Amino acid sequence: MTEKTAGTRPAAEVAERTADAGAAAEFERLYRANVGAVTAYFARRTTDPQLVADLTADTFVTVITSLASFDPRKGTARAWVFGIARHVYAAHCEAYSQQQHKLQRLAGRRELDQDQVEELLERIDAERAGRGLIAVLATLPERERAVIELVDVAGLRPKDAATVLGLTPGTVRMRLMRARARLRRQAARDAPPSAGGVPAGRRTAAGSTITSQMRVTGND
């Protein structure tokens, strides 16, 4: 080992440890900022707390193993994390449809303790209205449903939803406008007449959920 090599090796090790520490800190920041939203995303899709925990864990395992691929020039960290969550859920649905999901989960999943189950059940209960909205959204075309889910339900900005879906912001805003119009028309059709015989407008449970969760169309 030369004197020059001896001097550069510790420096390289320090740089590597610094990089690892920086990656760990970045992951912790991403986790803290997004774990609640990701958990809610899955809680709107299943009432099984173990499955919510598994899908959330799978999402953040992918986040930490793919952290080096995140490019802030292509969108926000939240959009990137939600893109991963969507892929995790799609993979779960595909495995389930092939009758393989249950065996795979039982083979490798970590059982939750009672406190964790209760916490997730509370989250699932809190997302009851969201699950009702997801059921209503099933009447929309898939490409319109996806933008409503990300913007009006998950709370992403249209430009972040565009990043998740691989679309332009203008396309997302157009689909969002069409989807909201469809839902408002549907809510108006489904609303029962008022006592005076005049249509009550958006007063069904579904209609109330839709309109209360919709945000202003002109969001950034």
Side-chain angles (χ1 to χ4, degrees):
M1 180 184 298
T2 66
E3 186 176 326
K4 183 177 180 180
T5 303
T8 57
R9 173 173 286 184
E13 291 175 352
V14 168
E16 184 177 351
R17 285 197 298 269
T18 301
D20 290 344
E26 177 64 11
F27 171 74
E28 183 175 359
R29 186 188 68 78
L30 282 175
Y31 180 83
R32 290 180 181 277
N34 295 287
V35 65
V38 170
T39 302
Y41 176 80
F42 293 126
R44 287 190 290 270
R45 286 159 173 77
T46 178
T47 57
D48 179 355
Q50 182 70 60
L51 183 55
V52 172
D54 287 345
L55 294 173
T56 302
D58 289 348
T59 297
F60 284 100
V61 166
T62 304
V63 167
I64 197 169
T65 56
S66 306
L67 197 56
S69 68
F70 171 58
D71 185 351
R73 294 172 298 181
K74 296 181 179 179
T76 66
R78 172 157 288 202
W80 180 67
V81 170
F82 262 89
I84 291 172
R86 280 173 54 85
H87 282 103
V88 166
Y89 187 70
H92 155 71
C93 291
E94 182 178 359
Y96 187 84
S97 69
Q98 295 171 355
Q99 302 298 313
Q100 296 174 355
H101 173 75
K102 185 175 181 179
L103 290 176
Q104 291 171 348
R105 287 291 178 190
L106 289 176
R109 76 191 203 173
R110 176 181 65 85
E111 294 299 324
L112 301 174
D113 61 36
Q114 189 59 35
D115 288 343
Q116 291 173 312
V117 170
E118 290 176 1
E119 182 180 349
L120 285 168
L121 285 174
E122 289 177 3
R123 170 72 71 173
I124 289 167
D125 185 62
E127 293 300 327
R128 185 189 297 115
R131 286 193 299 278
L133 179 55
I134 294 296
V136 173
L137 295 183
T139 62
L140 293 174
E142 165 59 27
R143 58 186 186 177
E144 293 180 9
R145 181 166 68 246
V147 297
I148 284 283
E149 284 187 42
L150 290 174
V151 177
D152 286 336
V153 181
L156 270 66
R157 294 176 298 177
K159 66 180 182 181
D160 290 336
T163 300
V164 173
L165 298 171
L167 302 171
T168 66
T171 298
V172 165
R173 289 189 179 91
M174 183 61 68
R175 291 182 183 180
L176 193 59
M177 182 172 63
R178 287 200 299 261
R180 286 170 171 169
R182 286 180 195 270
L183 291 172
R184 289 186 180 110
R185 288 196 299 270
Q186 179 179 325
R189 286 197 302 269
D190 293 345
S194 65
V198 179
R202 305 181 194 98
R203 299 196 184 191
T204 62
S208 297
T209 301
I210 292 165
T211 53
S212 66
Q213 294 205 26
M214 282 184 179
R215 289 162 173 80
V216 178
T217 305
N219 285 349
D220 291 336

